[in-house]
Amino acid sequence: MQPKSHLFKEESTKAIGDANLQSALKNLQTGFVAARARAADGLDEFEALRDEAVTLKDHILANLDFYLERFEEKVTEAGGTVHFCATAEEARQTILELCRRYGAKSVTKGKSMVAEEVALNPFLEANGIEPVETDLGEYIIQLAKEAPSHIIGPAVHKTKEQVSDLFHEHHAKYGRTERLTEAEDLVTEAREVLRQKYFDADVGITGANFLIAETGSTIIVTNEGNGDLTQMLPKAHVVISAIDKVVPTLEDVSTILRVLARSATGQEMSAYTTLSTGPKREGDLDGPEGFHVVLLDNGRSDLLGTDKQDLLRCIRCGACMNHCPVYTAVGGHAYGWVYPGPIGAALDPHIVGLEEARHLPNASTFCGRCEQVCPMRIPLPKIMRHWREEAFERGLPPARERLALKGWAWMARHPWAYRLAARIGIGVMGRLGRRRGGRFRDLPLARAWTKSRDMPAPEGRTFIDRWKAGERG
Amino acid sequence: MSANANARPRVGLFVTCLVDLYRPSVGFAAVKLLERGGCAVDAPLAQTCCGQPAYNSGDRADTAAIAKQVIEAFEGFDYVVAPSGSCAGMIRHHYPTLFADDGDWARRAADLGAKTFELVSFLTGVCGMTEVEAKLDRTVTYHDSCSGLRELKIKEQPRRLLATVDELELVELPTAETCCGFGGTFCIKYSDVSAEMVRRKSDDIQATGADLLLAGDMGCLLNMAGKLKREGADIQVRHVAEVLAGMTDGPAIGEEG
């Protein structure tokens, strides 16, 4: 996906003015937040489980090469193949070659953020292969020719009415001309339309929530079961995943699974947890003939041993975005790349470059709620701060901003100058403010503030001046 | 408490730049409460700002210079108290991080951090204050400012003291823990996003039916007061310290004096 993160300001303003988007985002704020709170409160050992999951993931990251090698060995033993890909381009080419090897004209896809990261769909299309998204949310945005706006709810930015319009427009070719308005009917129609696609596909591509080193299995968790059909019916199953998804054992996975769904949707577990181990064996009734795991690095290993390594603990639950007041105000598309919200603000600058993504770590109030709800306790504000420091060192913020900041810092470091300026400035503002009823409706030097809110007037003399003069209240 | 058990602990009031410039009455309310809590209070004249604007903008060098100045001005006190969870959190948690690799400054920053508190949590946690002598016949709602809430775990302390204010009724704001969109320089740099956040906040505040909004940080208060006033809402806005100190005679934030 071509990053558009440099347009964050323009896109966020547009998003705030988009009535459909705002109506869709409203549900997100109330639904997921309350559900997570209930799930966390309902499990006494939730905090202890989070700690356990963090310790486990840190251990994995410290021994990542070991577990990846072990995983590859086990996949091979089971009759599958692991393809290590350093870059997005390598991953795309590898998957294209696999599709060609199996003579694929169409592929079904289960949900995968990594596939979005490498921009797989447009690449396959450009090479004459039709990708069909089978996750309902992904299917909706594929029809709308959009990117996901959320990690677990790719179409969370769409209202039911917009989905109704999309289905009405795109399903006529399957003889379905009636306009549906009920959610349940829309889901049923999507199921029926997708059914034949599963049988027609030559290759099924899914993501993976986890890769199990001890067995060579890959795991996907879904609520729709579409992943099972995607991987079972075609000739080959191609898993695309990032290297940081490996976990030593099945038991370890159960620890993380217990915090994953609770953090994401407030469920105890997702409806389906599907394990895939190698291709169909002799005597198996079903299953693919080929099993391939495409493992993407794309800069992740560069994070190991750095102050941003904690990012690799992310299990893609989306809790940070559900709870982020910036994300819930502007939605995911404003972030301009695959991973939106706080995790995107911390991760995207590393993958797409800080020049491109400079706004993302800055567009946060540091309210800290993302870190509070992150099941893997990723210090997201701290990582955003690292990016701000790097951007500042490299001179990326606009000159006007840097100058204003330097001016303030100089004053703060010279108390005599600060006191003098404060006395004059606050004195004038206090007098003007009293004449204007205690607040300013328009301050030419603070239009960014007064465009939408009044600026309360200062009392008129500073505390320190009054304290120095012996006043005590 | 201090070395001499009979001596009153000496508290350095970190008044915060926004209180100093905008709302000195909050500083005086803090002094009154601290004295009632048994402390001897002084406000060093060399103080300006804790350095957050620079720190949150990525300017580490200037932040360190400002922080050193704060450390020098305040390390002689038994405690440092600020009527702000954000500034107290900055000194308590971020100064030690800032100087982690800086020898003697690391020790001095850690020492200062360990004795720095937000006002209300200091009153309840260190002074052992369980009630205040104040009366206010209002229905109030309370916004939990983010830094205080998450960095310093300030949640029930202000509620506990507010419950002892005569005739005061507290109605909870369902989104009390959601950021109001101030965020220091965020509200200027991303003003449209900030405006949307405070618009939602303002709706939520008005839906409580309260006639007075309280919080513990001037930044959030200026932001929310500015929005409520712009919308013509009939809700006053004050710092929680003013109510606890019984100093509510003066004009509320953004109102005519």
Side-chain angles (χ1 to χ4, degrees):
Chain A
M1 180 178 167
Q2 196 60 35
K4 286 192 205 139
S5 304
H6 62 283
L7 297 174
F8 177 83
K9 267 193 170 178
E10 295 83 342
E11 291 299 317
S12 59
T13 301
K14 238 189 272 172
I16 288 164
D18 180 339
N20 275 321
L21 174 65
Q22 291 301 321
S23 140
L25 288 173
K26 208 165 267 171
N27 303 328
L28 182 74
Q29 287 168 66
T30 44
F32 281 162
V33 170
R36 184 219 171 255
R38 271 197 305 274
D41 291 346
L43 183 70
D44 289 343
E45 69 265 38
F46 187 66
E47 293 306 313
L49 269 178
R50 283 172 74 180
D51 290 336
E52 212 178 299
V54 170
T55 308
L56 169 64
K57 202 72 197 256
D58 283 343
H59 163 80
I60 296 166
L61 293 174
N63 301 279
L64 192 59
D65 48 352
F66 172 81
Y67 288 115
L68 285 172
E69 279 167 25
R70 187 99 184 116
F71 173 73
E72 186 190 16
E73 259 173 54
K74 291 290 168 180
V75 171
T76 312
E77 264 176 40
T81 313
V82 174
H83 310 259
F84 284 97
C85 298
T87 63
E89 179 55 26
E90 260 183 63
R92 283 191 290 265
Q93 287 296 344
T94 304
I95 293 175
L96 179 62
E97 279 162 32
L98 287 168
C99 287
R100 287 187 172 148
R101 190 190 301 176
Y102 292 97
K105 292 199 175 47
S106 79
V107 303
T108 39
K109 283 184 67 207
K111 191 172 166 299
S112 159
M113 294 307 288
V114 174
E116 298 293 333
E117 186 178 325
V118 306
L120 187 59
N121 285 2
F123 182 75
L124 290 179
E125 278 167 11
N127 285 282
I129 296 168
E130 185 204 3
V132 179
E133 294 291 348
T134 62
D135 171 274
L136 180 62
E138 291 279 335
Y139 177 69
I140 291 166
I141 59 167
Q142 191 181 26
L143 294 183
K145 296 191 169 37
E146 289 177 17
S149 68
H150 190 286
I151 289 182
I152 61 159
V156 80
H157 59 288
K158 291 254 174 260
T159 61
K160 193 173 70 180
E161 291 67 34
Q162 288 175 312
V163 176
S164 168
D165 289 347
L166 278 170
F167 282 13
H168 189 59
E169 181 191 341
H170 290 274
H171 289 170
K173 65 181 172 211
Y174 305 111
R176 296 171 181 274
T177 49
E178 189 192 346
R179 180 186 286 276
L180 303 173
T181 51
E182 293 304 312
E184 209 179 314
D185 298 336
L186 290 165
V187 174
T188 306
E189 186 170 283
R191 275 173 73 109
E192 287 166 3
V193 166
L194 282 170
R195 186 80 12 174
Q196 191 57 41
K197 307 275 186 189
Y198 291 115
F199 295 117
D200 295 343
D202 308 292
V203 169
I205 301 175
T206 67
N209 290 84
F210 306 101
L211 312 164
I212 315 300
E214 87 174 325
T215 60
S217 311
T218 69
I219 293 189
I220 52 172
V221 291
T222 67
N223 277 320
E224 297 170 25
N226 61 304
D228 298 45
L229 293 167
T230 302
Q231 66 190 48
M232 288 294 279
L233 298 178
K235 277 185 288 214
H237 178 199
V238 175
V239 178
I240 177 163
S241 175
I243 53 169
D244 51 295
K245 295 289 180 72
V246 71
V247 174
T249 66
L250 280 166
E251 196 176 334
D252 294 331
V253 165
S254 70
T255 304
I256 303 182
L257 278 174
R258 294 185 72 196
V259 293
L260 174 60
R262 284 181 169 87
S263 303
T265 52
Q267 293 165 285
E268 285 184 19
M269 288 285 278
S270 302
Y272 298 84
T273 302
T274 308
L275 285 87
S276 314
T277 316
K280 181 162 122 175
R281 278 155 296 220
E282 253 186 64
D284 281 354
L285 293 175
D286 299 301
E289 292 157 27
F291 179 77
H292 299 268
V293 184
V294 175
L295 277 186
L296 179 72
D297 185 329
N298 207 21
R300 286 169 173 79
S301 55
D302 299 340
L303 290 169
L304 293 168
T306 73
D307 50 19
K308 300 183 185 80
Q309 172 177 305
D310 295 342
L311 284 171
L312 297 177
R313 287 207 299 261
C314 177
I315 53 172
R316 306 284 185 257
C317 69
C320 60
M321 32 201 99
N322 297 341
H323 291 77
C324 174
V326 175
Y327 177 93
T328 49
V330 305
H333 286 163
Y335 288 78
W337 200 58
V338 178
Y339 304 103
I343 184 67
L347 178 66
D348 297 355
H350 177 71
I351 304 188
V352 304
L354 189 54
E355 285 87 353
E356 172 64 41
R358 179 185 76 81
H359 279 300
L360 308 188
N362 275 287
S364 156
T365 62
F366 278 162
C367 80
R369 205 171 184 186
C370 50
E371 183 176 358
Q372 185 187 8
V373 297
C374 173
M376 304 305 287
R377 303 197 198 280
I378 301 171
L380 292 158
K382 187 175 135 199
I383 295 170
M384 288 182 221
R385 192 189 305 282
H386 281 298
W387 287 123
R388 293 186 189 187
E389 287 173 358
E390 197 173 321
F392 192 84
E393 274 165 28
R394 288 166 54 183
L396 298 181
R400 177 170 38 85
E401 218 174 279
R402 295 169 60 81
L403 209 65
L405 187 72
K406 280 282 169 196
W408 171 259
W410 189 89
M411 297 288 278
R413 287 168 51 193
H414 296 85
W416 64 268
Y418 181 94
R419 299 255 70 90
L420 184 67
R423 191 170 306 138
I424 298 168
I426 292 305
V428 170
M429 271 183 78
R431 273 196 300 281
L432 286 176
R434 278 192 290 282
R435 261 184 253 152
R436 283 164 174 73
R439 57 186 179 271
F440 301 95
R441 298 202 139 253
D442 182 29
L443 270 182
L445 288 174
R447 286 254 159 80
W449 178 290
T450 54
K451 200 171 90 182
S452 58
R453 66 214 112 170
D454 293 355
M455 173 68 87
E459 288 176 6
R461 286 176 68 211
T462 68
F463 176 86
I464 292 292
D465 280 354
R466 290 171 64 182
W467 181 262
K468 200 171 156 188
E471 286 183 45
R472 290 298 178 264
Chain B
M1 293 273 171
S2 64
N4 180 346
N6 296 322
R8 293 194 301 161
R10 289 182 58 249
V11 168
L13 181 68
F14 185 82
V15 75
T16 92
C17 57
L18 289 180
V19 168
D20 180 43
L21 301 176
Y22 270 88
R23 195 100 180 139
S25 54
V26 173
F28 290 113
V31 172
K32 193 167 166 185
L33 286 164
L34 287 167
E35 285 175 347
R36 278 194 202 152
C39 305
V41 185
D42 195 10
L45 303 181
Q47 61 176 299
T48 56
C49 160
C50 68
Q52 266 187 95
Y55 191 48
N56 289 345
S57 297
D59 180 358
R60 224 178 151 90
D62 275 318
T63 312
I66 296 168
K68 284 181 179 175
Q69 191 175 284
V70 173
I71 294 171
E72 282 170 344
F74 283 92
E75 61 190 347
F77 290 95
D78 297 326
Y79 295 102
V80 181
V81 175
S84 153
S86 167
C87 310
M90 176 75 190
I91 300 173
R92 196 174 174 95
H93 291 304
H94 296 290
Y95 279 15
T97 314
L98 197 60
F99 295 111
D101 307 318
D102 200 351
D104 194 40
W105 281 108
R107 182 191 54 76
R108 292 171 73 179
D111 287 350
L112 191 76
K115 59 184 180 186
T116 298
F117 293 83
E118 179 276 339
L119 174 68
V120 181
S121 59
F122 181 78
L123 294 172
T124 57
V126 181
C127 301
M129 192 180 279
T130 52
E131 55 182 1
V132 293
E133 296 154 32
K135 181 178 150 182
L136 188 66
D137 182 13
R138 304 294 288 265
T139 305
V140 308
T141 194
Y142 190 87
H143 163 76
D144 295 288
S145 297
C146 301
S147 304
L149 175 70
R150 301 198 175 89
E151 289 180 354
L152 304 173
K153 313 284 171 232
I154 297 161
K155 178 79 187 174
E156 45 83 42
Q157 302 92 322
R159 288 171 173 79
R160 210 193 308 158
L161 291 186
L162 283 171
T164 67
V165 175
D166 279 351
E167 296 182 17
L168 182 147
E169 188 200 345
L170 178 73
V171 285
E172 284 293 342
L173 174 63
T175 53
E177 294 189 9
T178 304
C179 177
C180 73
F182 176 68
T185 53
F186 170 85
C187 65
I188 304 297
K189 289 182 191 164
Y190 299 94
S191 56
D192 288 349
V193 185
S194 168
E196 172 62 13
M197 288 161 70
V198 75
R199 186 193 64 74
R200 293 178 183 189
K201 193 82 199 180
S202 159
D203 286 352
D204 294 342
I205 293 165
Q206 294 180 63
T208 61
D211 50 30
L212 177 63
L213 167 72
L214 302 177
D217 256 279
M218 275 315 294
C220 324
L221 288 164
L222 291 174
N223 190 37
M224 293 184 293
K227 188 63 185 173
L228 288 164
K229 293 296 160 204
R230 175 63 56 95
E231 293 192 351
D234 193 17
I235 297 176
Q236 290 198 331
V237 180
R238 287 188 185 278
H239 192 287
V240 64
E242 297 174 53
V243 172
L244 297 178
M247 290 168 60
T248 49
D249 293 341
I253 296 168
E255 295 197 344
E256 208 160 355

